Amino acid sequence: MSDPYSSPHPPPEPQPPHQHPPHQHPYQPSSTPPLSPSSPPPAHLTYPWQPPPPEPARRRLPRHHALGRHSDMRVLRTAYRRQRRVATLTALGYFVLFLLLSAYAPGLMTSRVSGGLSTGLLLGLLQLPVTCLAIGLYEYTARRSVDPLADRIRRQTELDARREAAR
């Protein structure tokens, strides 16, 4: 009994692939000279008169590393990170100290400093000057360490851009 999808004839025997001489491409007519051994044949020639594919454009490598990996950028990021941490920890650290003393040392916070002024009220009023001190510290470290690095990187980048435009 035969299957309606099967063929009544057996499948053909596989034939060995046609072998071309090693110096000639299978799609290259025999009238043209053989390809030189130093240049490999093009990948897929559809027609014998088809021109070879163009060579890929060569990219020039930059002289300097990308700006994100540049050592000056790492130094700048480190200085800016340190600046933020110092200013933030100054302001928030004082406020957390004030909250901890209020929660765990109520006797200290209610004690009188002079007249009607308690220690808790005095520490609360000192929060504003401490915050202003943190802002001043932030500006001082910016002027002393961060801004000179940023200016140097900016000048170097502008110089690199001008050199690249001159090419």
Side-chain angles (χ1 to χ4, degrees):
M1 191 151 142
S2 80
D3 178 5
Y5 298 107
S6 66
S7 170
H9 304 289
E13 291 285 327
Q15 297 292 325
H18 180 66
Q19 299 295 324
H20 295 282
H23 67 276
Q24 186 174 356
H25 192 272
Y27 298 111
Q28 186 178 15
S30 60
S31 63
T32 59
L35 295 174
S36 68
S38 63
S39 66
H44 253 57
L45 287 178
T46 308
Y47 304 104
W49 57 86
Q50 181 178 357
E55 290 186 20
R58 294 184 183 179
R59 292 183 54 187
R60 205 182 320 183
L61 295 176
R63 283 187 180 171
H64 304 289
H65 294 293
L67 202 54
R69 290 184 286 176
H70 200 272
S71 63
D72 286 342
M73 283 299 288
R74 279 195 304 268
V75 171
L76 178 64
R77 280 193 301 261
T78 303
Y80 183 59
R81 190 178 305 124
R82 186 179 310 120
Q83 174 193 21
R84 285 190 324 246
R85 286 179 184 162
V86 167
T88 302
L89 290 176
T90 302
L92 285 180
Y94 183 81
F95 184 67
V96 168
L97 175 69
F98 175 74
L99 290 178
L100 289 174
L101 285 175
S102 297
Y104 297 108
L108 175 69
M109 297 300 273
T110 56
S111 66
R112 302 276 176 207
V113 176
S114 70
L117 186 64
S118 67
T119 308
L121 183 60
L122 179 64
L123 290 176
L125 291 174
L126 284 177
Q127 181 67 43
L128 184 64
V130 168
T131 304
C132 291
L133 174 72
I135 293 170
L137 188 62
Y138 185 87
E139 289 178 357
Y140 173 75
T141 56
R143 273 187 260 114
R144 193 183 98 239
S145 62
V146 177
D147 289 347
L149 285 171
D151 289 339
R152 187 173 78 202
I153 291 172
R154 186 178 301 114
R155 282 192 307 267
Q156 182 66 38
T157 305
E158 289 170 356
L159 182 64
D160 289 345
R162 275 190 254 129
R163 284 180 184 160
E164 196 65 33
R167 287 183 186 179

